[in-house]
Every structure is written in C-alpha cells, then in structure tokens.
Amino acid sequence: MKFRTLTLLMTYKCNAECDICVFNCDKYKNDIMNLDDAYRYIDEAFEIESFENLAISGGEPFLLYDSLIKICKKANQKGIPITISTNGFWAVNVEKARSVILELKSLGVTSLYISVDQFHAEYISYECIKNILRASKNIKIRIDLHTIVTKSSLKLKDIAQELENEIMGYQIVQWPCIACGRAKTNIGENEFIYQETIPSCICSNLNTLVIDSYGRVFPCCGITDKTNHLSANLAKEHSIKEIIEYFNNNVYLKLLETYGARWFTEAIDKYNIDIKLKNKYTSLCELCGDLFSLDNSENIYREAIECEKQKLINKYKLASNT
Ligand code: SF4
Ligand code: SF4
C-alpha cells in the first residue's frame, strides 16, 4: 500500500454533537493527541517518499488551537501542504476569521475542509461559515464546503441559499449521510439515501493513513472502527514504516485494494459464508463495517481465500506450461 496522506485525528472532542457524526464526537470526550507523538508521526511519515500531504481533523481540531498551530509549524518546516477539517465555530466575525486564516496560511495550510449543513447548523451558525468565506476572498487558500444530506434534510441548494452571496466562487459538495457512528442511532432508517446497488467499487481512500489521539491507526478514512481488520492499536509503539508493513501484510486490505468490496460480497454468496448483508447501503464504508465486523471474520473468509488462491496458482501453472 502506498499512502499519500497522513491524517492526524487530534481529538474526538467537539463543541457540536451532530446527529450525522460518524465518529460520535461530543463535548464530553477528553482525548488529546500528544504533541511529541504527532511530531514523530510527521517525521517518520514524511521520510517515506509516497507521503505528500498532511490532513488534520477531529472532532474539532480548533478546540486545541495551540497544539494545532504547533503541528502546522512542524509540518511547515518540512514544506508539507496541510488541510484542516473544521466546523468553523471559531469564525465569530470577519476580523477573527481573517486573522486565523492568515496565520494558518503563513504556516503552510493550503486548504480548509468545512462542514455546513442542517445538522451542523444546530450547533454552528451559518454566520460563522459566511465569515470564513468573506475573510478568505483575497487570501489564496482553498475552501471546500461539504453538506451532508438525508431524505428530508435541507439540501445543497438550501444551504447555498443560507450562505447567500458569500458562496460565490466556492465549491460546495453534497454527500449522503453514512449510516455509521451516531447517524446509525440518531437518523431514522427511512431517512438514509441508499445507493441503488450494493457498493462494489475499489475504495479511493486506501491511500490515507489515519492516526487518532489514542494511537489507533486506520488505512483509510477511519469511519469503520468496529473491525480489527481496518484498524489497529499500533502507533504509540510502532514506527510508521512498521505500521505500513503491517497493513501491507493484511490480506483483507490487499483484496479490497485490488478487487474492491465485490470480492467479499461475491465470496459470501459463493462460499455460503455466514455474514448477513443488507440489501441496501448508504456507502461503501457502511458495507465495509458489515463485511469485517465479526470478531471471527478472519476465519470466516479463510476457506474462500485459500480456494481462490489455489485457483490462481493453478491458472498460472497452466499458463506457464503452455
Ligand atoms: S462538527 Fe463534525 S466532528 Fe463535531 S460532532 Fe459534528 S460531525 Fe462530528
Ligand atoms: S470503504 Fe472501507 S476501506 Fe474505504 S474508507 Fe470506507 S471503511 Fe475504509
């Protein structure tokens, strides 16, 4: 696996408690990424050629502003482009927004990933987001706006309306709410917007190495944390090189990376594997959760993997004999 982005999930603490939060973040969480750990992750990752950029997320990383700035300084010394995800609560007026953005820009932050939708608006006013947009107009920094929607929630056009003229010149993207984390309990089953077919594609996030404040590592977005196959408690005691080696030796990731989720959904049918899949999914991540959530999923796919491996070996033997 070749990782391009190192994501530091600084905390699960957040000043919001959105119903759609896949990480179950809230104000009661008290975890904080240790700064020395963060520095080590950056040093070790960016010694590896494939890493190109750093993403910082949470929870709400701006709640730990001093640490956020220190991490940016560290990455900036190495010339690493930085993206920060935020709910924008800190932009209480244009002046404040401008001074924060200018400081971030001077430290190598090239883009801000901002969530704005009906669910975030329960906690963070649209005015904060508008202040960020107003303040960024003449600053060369990329602002990506993201809106999560359910069947009856406000949609992108409504959010664009809320942002009025300030949205001019910025990109805003609409995503369906993923049935993971808090959304699974707080959003009604009928409110999710399901994909028309069971997702089968190859995940495009398998080039992102996520490390959270507890030292858990994920080879992708980290949304599905209920499986040992897509996460591990490794970062506190292992180097980034060792973590990558660990993921490279993970047969499930290899199959996901090479054939996509389709390999597993087909194997479940073909080998009568005892995993009950739903007939509809909101996203590939939700499906991943079901494919790998069982403690014994290692053994459950073992026969399928061995049989398919043997078929490939026979095929190559045949090809080399002819
Ligand atoms: S702002 Fe983001 S991190 Fe915070 S609760 Fe909402 S979705 Fe979760
Ligand atoms: S689809 Fe699976 S591998 Fe990809 S980001 Fe989601 S949980 Fe990770």
Side-chain angles (χ1 to χ4, degrees), residues 14 16-18 20-21 25-26 58-60 87 115 120 182:
C14 188
E17 201 173 327
C18 308
I20 45 94
C21 187
C25 299
D26 60 39
E60 179 46 56
N87 62 26
S115 307
H120 286 80
R182 193 179 295 125

Side-chain angles (χ1 to χ4, degrees), residues 203 205-206 220-224 230 256 284-285 288:
C203 172
N205 282 324
L206 281 166
C220 56
C221 65
I223 288 177
T224 298
L230 297 185
L256 268 182
L284 194 53
C285 292
C288 258

